[in-house]
Amino acid sequence: MEVQERILDKAFSLFRQFGTRSITMDDIALKMGLSKKTLYAHFTDKDDLVFQSVSGFIHNIHQECLANKQRSKDAIDEMFLVMEMIDKRLRNINPVIMLDLQKYHAKAFQAFLDYQQQDLAAMIKENLERGIHDGLYRPDLNISILVNYRIQGCTASFQPENFPGEHDMDKVQKVLLENFLYGVASSKGYKLIEKYKQLSQNI
């Protein structure tokens, strides 16, 4: 399992930099100093390797989001922790990876869509309900529409044509999330956002 995990780590590192289409099994074997036979002993083919590496990335993000929810002081603090996670997880990731998944790796792309529509949607919904309950978000919010709106915002950053001239996907994600947060906040929540922003800038 240790070898398999190392292969997954290296493969996803290459995929996130260059996309999946331009990286071959030969490239991965060469970078790791392994034979292709070793790769195929752990993965059926490249499609299987892409699926498992993307699934692992999604799992790690989900686990971190759950941990952030548990340690956050409130709904807004949870969102700031998400912004920190985005900065760490999405920094320098090439948005072409999503196009490659959609065109060439249907199973991996479906795993991403399933995560969005199930786990991510549930976390956004719970955060909105938490914020409303604590008076940090406006009580008149249409939760179902805002959940889908937020999911679409997450997807939009993976499509470079939506943000001409912007190449930092993590930056786009953070700007979209921050503005979403301002949009749902009550006056009490707005003040708390400003407080957390100030604290984060002083770190």
Side-chain angles (χ1 to χ4, degrees):
M1 287 301 294
E2 183 182 343
V3 173
Q4 184 168 328
E5 289 302 317
R6 287 198 298 111
I7 295 170
L8 288 171
D9 286 345
K10 173 54 72 175
F12 191 76
S13 175
L14 293 170
F15 294 151
R16 69 178 289 148
Q17 290 180 68
F18 307 107
T20 62
R21 188 183 182 192
S22 62
I23 298 298
T24 66
M25 295 293 267
D26 285 309
D27 294 328
I28 296 167
L30 183 62
K31 289 285 186 181
M32 296 196 68
L34 299 174
S35 66
K36 283 178 66 177
K37 183 178 179 180
T38 301
L39 291 186
Y40 286 111
H42 293 278
F43 304 97
T44 307
D45 51 27
K46 180 183 173 182
D47 194 53
D48 181 39
L49 176 55
V50 170
F51 171 72
Q52 291 200 44
S53 63
V54 169
S55 296
F57 178 71
I58 291 171
H59 174 76
N60 290 338
I61 284 180
H62 184 59
Q63 291 302 308
E64 190 164 351
C65 285
L66 291 176
N68 287 339
K69 180 181 177 181
Q70 290 296 318
R71 70 188 182 98
S72 61
K73 304 179 188 72
D74 50 65
I76 292 176
D77 185 37
E78 181 183 345
M79 295 293 264
F80 271 84
L81 291 173
V82 168
M83 282 189 244
E84 289 180 19
M85 182 271 292
I86 286 172
D87 184 54
K88 179 174 68 175
R89 295 286 184 182
L90 299 187
R91 185 181 299 167
N92 300 324
I93 193 168
N94 191 332
V96 76
I97 188 174
M98 195 55 59
L99 184 61
D100 284 353
L101 294 183
Q102 189 172 1
K103 283 187 173 182
Y104 308 110
H105 305 285
K107 189 177 177 183
F109 185 66
Q110 188 60 50
F112 177 78
L113 295 180
D114 290 345
Y115 167 71
Q116 282 192 326
Q117 296 300 323
Q118 297 170 22
D119 296 330
L120 181 59
M123 284 189 291
I124 295 169
K125 181 175 183 287
E126 289 165 9
N127 179 269
L128 289 170
E129 290 172 342
R130 180 185 184 186
I132 291 171
H133 179 270
D134 294 342
L136 300 177
Y137 297 163
R138 302 196 326 266
D140 60 336
L141 298 179
N142 186 312
I143 292 178
S144 61
I145 291 177
L146 286 171
V147 167
N148 283 304
Y149 176 74
R150 177 68 197 123
I151 288 173
Q152 292 305 313
C154 293
T155 305
S157 71
F158 288 93
Q159 299 168 330
E161 66 275 12
N162 290 331
F163 304 94
E166 287 292 346
H167 304 291
D168 295 331
M169 198 163 58
D170 61 317
K171 177 184 175 183
V172 173
Q173 280 278 9
K174 285 188 290 183
V175 168
L176 293 177
L177 179 54
E178 183 177 306
N179 281 275
F180 175 83
L181 193 51
Y182 275 118
V184 300
S186 64
S187 56
K188 178 182 175 182
Y190 186 94
K191 292 175 183 176
L192 196 54
I193 293 171
E194 293 298 302
K195 176 184 174 182
Y196 284 139
K197 279 186 70 174
Q198 188 64 43
L199 289 172
S200 64
Q201 289 168 1
N202 291 335
I203 293 176

